[in-house]
Amino acid sequence: MKRRLLLVALGPLVIAPAVLAACSGATGVRATGADTRGDTAGAARGARVAVPSPDPVDSLPSDGPVARYRGAFARETAVLAFQREAGLLLDAAVARLRDETGLQFTEGRAPAITLLDSPDLPAGGRASLRLVNGVRRPQIDVRASAVVAGEFRAKEHLPALVAESAVLAASAERAAPEWVVRGLPTVFSDGAERRASELLLGGATARVDLAGLAPLEPAFRVAALQRIGVGERVLARFLDARLGGAGDAAALREVGVGSMDFLDAAAATEADRMLDRILEDERARSLRAVRESLTAGDIAAAESAISRVPASGGASPWVDAEVRLVRAETSLLRGEDGAAIASLDDVLARPEFVLRLRDARFLRALAALKADDPGARARAAEFARTCIDDPRTAAILQDLGVSTQDAFDLVSGDTDARAKSAARLGEKGIATTLPFVARSLRDGEASVRRAVVAAIGRIGAKSGAVELDTACGDSDAGVRSAALVALAQIDAPRGLTRSREMTSDPDESVRRAAADVIARLAPKPVAEPRAAVAKPSVPNSPKPKDAPTAVPDPSRAPAALTPPDDLPPPLAPRGKPAGVASPTPSPPSPPSPTPPTPTAPAAGPKAPRPTEGVKVVSPPAPTPPAAPPTPGTPPRRTDPPPRPAAPTAKPPAPVQPPPAPVAPAPVPPKTPTPLPPPTPPAREKV
């Protein structure tokens, strides 16, 4: 992988800059090019289903306290699980709040829960009062991306939001004290120790002093009031007096507390006890030196400090998770990617005890990229989608090829904006954007999922076939049809197999799309050749043009006919006296070196040449003696005697036309030998 420095100018971060430089500088992700490895987890998600799966959002109870959510993370497993268990958690928190504090909601005005796609919401949620049908009702807003990232812990944050909603509902006419509104949720949720550990160990540097616990002073006051107050329902009685118009001092006297100073002294005692409880784990003090060395980039000092940290023996699960996290950071500095990944996986196995959960997820994504992990891009895309408000997300988006605007739109609460963002990313066709785009197949709106399926088909990366195969089982028929067509475009064999399975889909449009894919991709049957039929031969039928030329057999040539001896002599040729032989033709000239051109066969058979024994009727006349040559004249050439004339013999009638002759090979010319004059035959007696 190409090396490129990531996250150099992102400002002060919680993670040590040296660790970031070691990870990102050696990681550098390709900005272009397809990632053919895909997501290993996606293969499990790509299991085929025989029938379309029902919409998981529609399967949720409609009468629960959580409003129907169809946003960008509606089909995420964590969001679906939260919506199923939120009703039980809410009822339990309301009952406990009534029993422990005496605060309760009016019948039918329990808080309603709404999931939102807004990066402005805090990770722990927000409680407020809203007008519903003319009645002020408490409302709890939860960020869906925080649920997916694990930053919103329902068992801890939901009771805190219920307590805050109860205080707001009780103070509809007059505001309650700020320290009660801020402190009661932390105390009631049993999250004071975790919050204290975050303040001391989860910041930019570790601290082990009381000054680090200053943000928890409201919670310490509430805890002290419940501890030193006299009677039952101390907090409810204090609020009744305070909201009835009494001041803080008068309201405190109603529950047996003399003054605010006395309450502050008790709150300081609560802070001391909390600090001692955290420092009971001796590893907490050693973490301070390790974190300072990592922040300074001194790997030798960090290794020396971490070697003095006990491997186990602590009582705090938050300190234990922090120790494993700093060991992973040190391994990344040393270049031990495998050890770092193992430590980070161990840390993220129990996210509820991780104080720096976002940092751990970010380091895990960088370590996977550095080690060329198959699911590295998918992990980085998940971090960017769920932590879109984090400044480190900009560097990941740049490596994935996704613009900041497209990323914000794809996870926004606007349905049209999400669909348009998916279409824009598909038109760009950058293969590295596939993990970020494919994650939106978990969107709650079918129109967005259809746009995402089309975008995956335009991107064309074959690793998207797994996600498209899963989309073929979507509850929406339009999504199934679009996914089937896109799957056939990027992976024809897989698309053909999936099309054959979907020919029995309950929707007609899906069946028609499957038939079109099969007609386009299925192999066409090849026609078998017809067997040759023998036709009867017809005598003297013309030979086909493409028939092979037969070679004549000399043994089957017709024999020459010999006339009998008692026939009369043949007549002499016209124009010459009887007994004078025809002049002998001149010898043929030697052939040219050019090879002879084959000529077409004659229309009829050639007459046979006369054989020996044919009698000549009239002898040739004697040749007169030659005159003496004239002086100066070249000698006259004497021609050879003429050959006897060939008898006129009628050839036999042909039975069938002979085959076309084969052009003979050129024969070198021979010098003709003159024949002796024939002996005149004896005259017959009359």
Side-chain angles (χ1 to χ4, degrees):
M1 302 176 74
K2 295 187 295 184
R3 295 178 173 270
R4 188 173 66 219
L5 186 62
L6 299 176
L7 313 175
V8 177
L10 294 180
L13 301 175
V14 174
I15 301 178
V19 179
L20 291 178
C23 294
S24 58
T27 300
V29 191
R30 293 184 298 269
T32 56
D35 182 10
T36 57
R37 296 185 296 271
D39 184 6
T40 54
R45 294 193 298 269
R48 293 186 176 88
V49 292
V51 295
S53 59
D55 191 345
V57 180
D58 293 338
S59 63
L60 296 173
S62 58
D63 56 348
V66 183
R68 190 60 55 88
Y69 168 70
R70 292 190 178 276
F73 303 91
R75 294 191 169 203
E76 293 283 356
T77 304
V79 173
L80 295 172
F82 168 73
Q83 295 180 80
R84 292 190 183 97
E85 65 180 6
L88 297 175
L89 293 176
L90 183 64
D91 294 341
V94 170
R96 177 173 163 235
L97 182 68
R98 181 183 64 247
D99 297 339
E100 294 184 4
T101 66
L103 297 174
Q104 59 184 351
F105 298 96
T106 306
E107 185 67 25
R109 296 186 182 180
I113 303 175
T114 305
L115 286 165
L116 299 175
D117 294 324
S118 174
D120 299 332
L121 275 175
R126 181 176 59 198
S128 60
L129 289 177
R130 294 180 187 172
L131 285 175
V132 180
N133 297 328
V135 179
R136 294 174 66 88
R137 183 176 179 180
Q139 182 74 31
I140 295 176
D141 297 332
V142 178
R143 196 174 75 190
S145 60
V147 176
V148 177
E151 297 177 358
F152 181 85
R153 298 173 294 277
K155 295 182 179 180
E156 175 187 342
H157 289 113
L158 196 56
L161 294 171
V162 169
E164 185 177 357
S165 300
V167 174
L168 294 175
S171 58
E173 301 296 334
R174 190 171 296 188
E178 183 67 19
W179 59 271
V180 176
V181 177
R182 293 174 52 196
L184 179 60
T186 304
V187 175
F188 180 71
S189 64
D190 296 331
E193 185 175 354
R194 177 191 171 87
R195 180 60 180 151
S197 300
E198 287 180 352
L199 293 172
L200 295 177
L201 305 176
T205 58
R207 325 180 45 167
V208 288
D209 54 354
L210 284 174
L213 299 178
L216 289 179
E217 288 181 1
F220 294 147
R221 274 189 180 183
V222 173
L225 178 61
Q226 290 181 329
R227 179 171 58 85
I228 66 177
V230 179
E232 298 179 355
R233 301 175 60 248
V234 173
L235 186 59
R237 286 161 42 211
F238 171 79
L239 284 177
D240 289 342
R242 182 68 175 79
L243 297 176
D248 288 343
L252 287 175
R253 285 193 296 270
E254 291 290 333
V255 295
V257 180
S259 65
M260 284 295 298
D261 294 338
F262 186 75
L263 181 63
D264 289 341
T269 303
E270 294 291 335
D272 290 337
R273 290 178 178 177
M274 180 64 69
L275 180 62
D276 294 340
R277 193 156 51 245
I278 294 175
L279 294 181
E280 284 179 0
D281 193 328
E282 59 184 15
R283 297 176 297 177
R285 296 183 181 273
S286 303
L287 285 174
R288 181 176 183 177
V290 178
R291 295 285 300 281
E292 289 177 353
S293 301
L294 291 174
T295 304
D298 191 349
I299 184 173
E303 291 179 346
S304 176
I306 204 170
S307 63
R308 296 191 296 269
V309 177
S312 60
S316 173
W318 300 285
V319 175
D320 184 67
E322 184 64 22
V323 169
R324 286 178 288 171
L325 184 55
V326 296
R327 290 185 186 276
E329 291 177 333
T330 308
S331 298
L332 286 175
L333 281 175
R334 291 197 298 259
E336 300 173 357
D337 302 333
I341 291 176
S343 298
L344 290 170
D345 288 341
D346 191 20
V347 170
L348 294 173
R350 302 178 67 187
E352 66 273 12
F353 296 118
V354 183
L355 302 177
R356 295 184 292 149
L357 179 61
R358 182 171 291 193
D359 295 345
R361 294 178 61 231
F362 179 71
L363 285 177
R364 180 63 179 86
L366 288 182
L369 291 172
K370 184 180 178 183
D372 201 17
D373 189 76
R377 289 187 178 276
R379 191 180 292 272
E382 180 184 3
F383 177 85
R385 286 173 56 87
T386 57
C387 303
I388 198 68
D389 58 324
D390 195 294
R392 293 168 291 190
T393 302
I396 293 180
L397 293 176
Q398 182 180 358
D399 288 324
L400 293 176
V402 181
S403 67
T404 305
Q405 186 62 46
D406 288 340
F408 269 90
D409 289 345
L410 199 56
V411 296
S412 68
D414 189 348
T415 302
D416 293 338
R418 297 200 301 271
K420 292 178 181 178
S421 175
R424 288 196 303 269
L425 290 172
E427 291 173 358
K428 293 178 182 178
I430 303 176
T432 52
T433 62
L434 178 62
F436 193 87
V437 176
R439 194 77 179 183
S440 290
L441 287 174
R442 293 153 181 80
D443 197 286
E445 293 292 344
S447 59
V448 178
R449 297 197 301 275
R450 286 194 292 267
V452 171
V453 164
I456 295 176
R458 292 191 189 101
I459 291 173
K462 198 168 184 179
S463 56
V466 175
E467 300 291 351
L468 290 177
D469 190 81
T470 306
C472 288
D474 195 275
S475 58
D476 183 77
V479 176
R480 296 198 301 273
S481 300
L484 189 60
V485 174
L487 180 62
Q489 290 176 355
I490 66 176
D491 193 343
R494 196 168 192 167
L496 180 60
T497 303
R498 195 62 160 141
S499 299
R500 288 168 175 166
E501 295 175 359
M502 297 178 67
T503 52
S504 59
D505 192 274
D507 190 84
E508 181 182 358
S509 62
V510 179
R511 296 195 299 269
R512 187 163 52 249
D516 293 343
V517 173
I518 293 175
R520 188 173 70 253
L521 299 181
K524 304 298 185 294
V526 181
E528 297 182 359
R530 296 181 179 180
V533 180
K535 296 182 179 180
S537 58
V538 180
N540 299 331
S541 61
K543 203 169 197 178
K545 294 182 179 180
D546 55 349
T549 304
V551 179
D553 189 357
S555 61
R556 297 185 178 182
L561 299 179
T562 305
D565 295 340
D566 55 351
L567 289 179
L571 299 176
R574 181 179 297 180
K576 294 184 180 181
V580 179
S582 301
T584 304
S586 61
S589 61
S592 62
T594 304
T597 303
T599 57
K606 295 183 179 180
R609 297 180 62 180
T611 57
E612 295 181 0
V614 178
K615 298 181 179 180
V616 181
V617 177
S618 56
T623 305
T630 307
T633 303
R636 185 178 180 181
R637 180 179 177 181
T638 304
D639 294 331
R643 293 183 179 182
T648 303
K650 186 177 181 181
V655 179
Q656 64 182 23
V662 180
V667 180
K670 296 181 179 180
T671 304
T673 304
L675 298 177
T679 306
R683 294 182 177 271
E684 297 180 0
K685 296 181 179 181
V686 179

